[in-house]
Amino acid sequence: MRRRARLLIACTGLTALAGCGVPTSDVIEAGAPASGMPGPPPTTDAPEPATVPLFFLTDGEPTAYPRPATDAADLTSVVRLLLEGPNEKEEAMSATTDLPRLSGAPSVTVTDGHTIRVILPDTPTPVSRAALLQLTCTVRYAAAPFPHPSGADGTPRLQVTGTSWTMTSPTASCPAKPSAEVRAGGPLHSGEDD
């Protein structure tokens, strides 16, 4: 009897290992793959990309044009965007520029706590007054940290340097202000009067 029980157990084990007589087959594709529980719905509060007011010329006057900026807090990136000139949309709105096209990247630094220095490489002649105002207004209203006024007159200034020339402009000399629509895209400097 013990022998029969062992034989029965062995046959049952072999049957289980043999798959109960069900023949093997390849993968059969039918329907969509199984999925788990759905995740949370996408949020509608995605942050808007930062915008900065770039000042181009409209009828010879500096005018703010909002532009998305990947790094609105980096003043060098903002100045590079300005030096690239107006895009097609801005040109269609009559935007022009008096700034030179550069072969090298500009350098932007805060030199003494209240002076922003912009170096334009390979620029042998000084920029025009209109070009200087484009830079001055863009720097004044950029979303980057602004130097705290500490000069004799308390006004931060912009210093633009090229090959053997330098021009200086107080940021208060910017005659234009971004409109509310332009300013809605990004913060202005703290402490600046509008």
Side-chain angles (χ1 to χ4, degrees):
M1 180 126 170
R2 284 187 189 175
R3 190 178 246 201
R4 256 191 194 170
R6 285 185 194 164
L7 185 59
L8 185 61
I9 291 173
C11 285
T12 306
L14 285 174
T15 304
L17 290 175
C20 300
V22 177
T24 60
S25 67
D26 291 332
V27 175
I28 300 171
E29 293 191 31
S35 62
M37 296 196 50
T43 60
T44 57
D45 298 338
E48 292 184 23
T51 58
V52 291
L54 299 181
F55 282 80
F56 296 115
L57 302 175
T58 303
D59 297 326
E61 294 298 319
T63 305
Y65 288 85
R67 180 82 72 86
T70 53
D71 192 357
D74 179 15
L75 202 50
T76 301
S77 295
V78 172
V79 169
R80 283 182 186 161
L81 280 175
L82 177 68
L83 291 170
E84 288 173 4
N87 60 28
E88 288 181 17
K89 181 181 176 184
E90 293 158 348
E91 285 176 346
M93 295 169 32
S94 303
T96 61
T97 186
D98 222 20
L99 288 162
R101 297 283 177 161
L102 300 179
S103 57
S107 167
V108 181
T109 56
V110 178
T111 60
D112 59 6
H114 66 279
T115 301
I116 298 171
R117 185 174 185 200
V118 177
I119 299 174
L120 305 176
D122 305 322
T123 310
T125 58
V127 297
S128 68
R129 181 180 183 284
L132 184 62
L133 284 176
Q134 283 182 255
L135 278 164
T136 301
C137 293
T138 298
V139 165
R140 178 177 181 185
Y141 292 108
F146 203 65
H148 296 289
S150 62
D153 62 355
T155 303
R157 64 181 176 258
L158 174 73
Q159 183 182 72
V160 183
T161 302
T163 307
S164 70
W165 61 268
T166 298
M167 298 173 77
T168 303
S169 171
T171 56
S173 69
C174 175
K177 293 181 183 178
S179 67
E181 176 185 285
V182 172
R183 294 190 326 199
L188 296 178
H189 299 299
S190 58
E192 283 284 300
D193 295 329
D194 287 325

